[in-house]
Amino acid sequence: MYRVKEKVANSMVMFFLASVIGWIWEEVFTLYRYHIFTNRGFLHGPWLPIYGTGFLLILFLKRYVGESPIMLFIWIVIVCGCLEYYTSALLEVMYHTRWWNYRDEVWNIKERVCFKSLLLFGIVGNITAYIIIPYLDKSMRKIKYSRKKVLLIIIISIFMMDVICSIYNPNMKIGN
């Protein structure tokens, strides 16, 4: 039982870590491309849960697809592409706006995903699966479960307050 709790806690910490790293990536990209700082996420805090969800999906795929980097690449492209597409569609239905738009990119699907982003998902996903996840897993084992539990209680509390506030008052500082 303790082993399962430890794995769940590790996965949750990695979810939030990937969400924050994704937010930083988006902010740096937006700052570079548009020369402005803008919180591109739906939430107000410094996290993009779509990146955390993608990370967990890659973790799951790595476990069940096997050791073939090519098969993993293909599955990451499909699964993360669907995640991006349906997240975009859901946000648009809920709030009648788009948080991202690939209209200027070649080979886009209804401007929600594009070939370049799918290719990037596959490449970064493989790097994540074969380098980052093993490193994080090893690092997470060094942290006591009780400390992770306290950290997660704090982070989840702040995150849930952000989610509840953002459902009614989403961050609308959209970068495109």
Side-chain angles (χ1 to χ4, degrees):
M1 181 72 148
Y2 179 75
R3 184 88 173 120
V4 171
K5 287 182 183 180
E6 184 83 23
K7 283 185 175 187
V8 169
N10 289 351
S11 296
M12 291 174 73
V13 169
M14 287 190 256
F15 167 85
F16 286 110
L17 186 59
S19 296
V20 169
I21 290 169
W23 182 85
I24 292 168
W25 166 260
E26 291 281 338
E27 295 310 309
V28 168
F29 175 78
T30 303
L31 189 59
Y32 173 77
R33 186 167 185 186
Y34 302 107
H35 308 289
I36 57 168
F37 176 81
T38 178
N39 182 359
R40 289 175 40 101
F42 159 79
L43 301 173
H44 294 276
W47 36 43
L48 292 172
I50 192 169
Y51 281 87
T53 304
F55 183 93
L56 292 180
L57 290 170
I58 291 167
L59 186 65
F60 174 82
L61 288 170
K62 173 73 166 68
R63 173 172 279 156
Y64 293 101
V65 169
E67 289 298 319
S68 168
I70 293 169
M71 285 305 297
L72 186 60
F73 177 90
I74 292 167
W75 276 105
I76 289 170
V77 165
I78 293 168
V79 171
C80 290
C82 288
L83 174 65
E84 184 174 42
Y85 183 91
Y86 289 110
T87 300
S88 172
L90 177 65
L91 288 171
E92 186 174 352
V93 166
M94 289 175 66
Y95 298 103
H96 311 290
T97 193
R98 287 192 179 187
W99 270 259
W100 60 90
N101 190 323
Y102 294 111
R103 71 181 155 264
D104 298 330
E105 298 291 335
V106 295
W107 298 335
N108 69 67
I109 302 171
K110 295 189 178 180
E111 301 172 352
R112 298 183 192 287
V113 295
C114 70
F115 177 75
K116 188 165 53 173
S117 68
L118 295 175
L119 189 61
L120 191 61
F121 292 159
I123 293 167
V124 173
N126 263 306
I127 292 168
T128 299
Y130 291 105
I131 297 171
I132 296 171
I133 289 173
Y135 173 78
L136 284 177
D137 190 48
K138 186 177 178 182
S139 299
M140 295 295 293
R141 290 175 194 237
K142 295 177 184 175
I143 302 170
K144 290 183 181 180
Y145 173 72
S146 58
R147 289 186 179 176
K148 283 185 263 193
K149 188 174 166 182
V150 169
L151 177 67
L152 283 169
I153 288 169
I154 293 167
I155 292 172
I156 290 170
S157 298
I158 295 167
F159 181 77
M160 290 311 299
M161 285 188 287
D162 192 356
V163 168
I164 291 166
C165 290
S166 296
I167 286 172
Y168 298 104
N169 182 27
N171 172 38
M172 299 298 276
K173 296 179 206 158
I174 300 165
N176 315 6

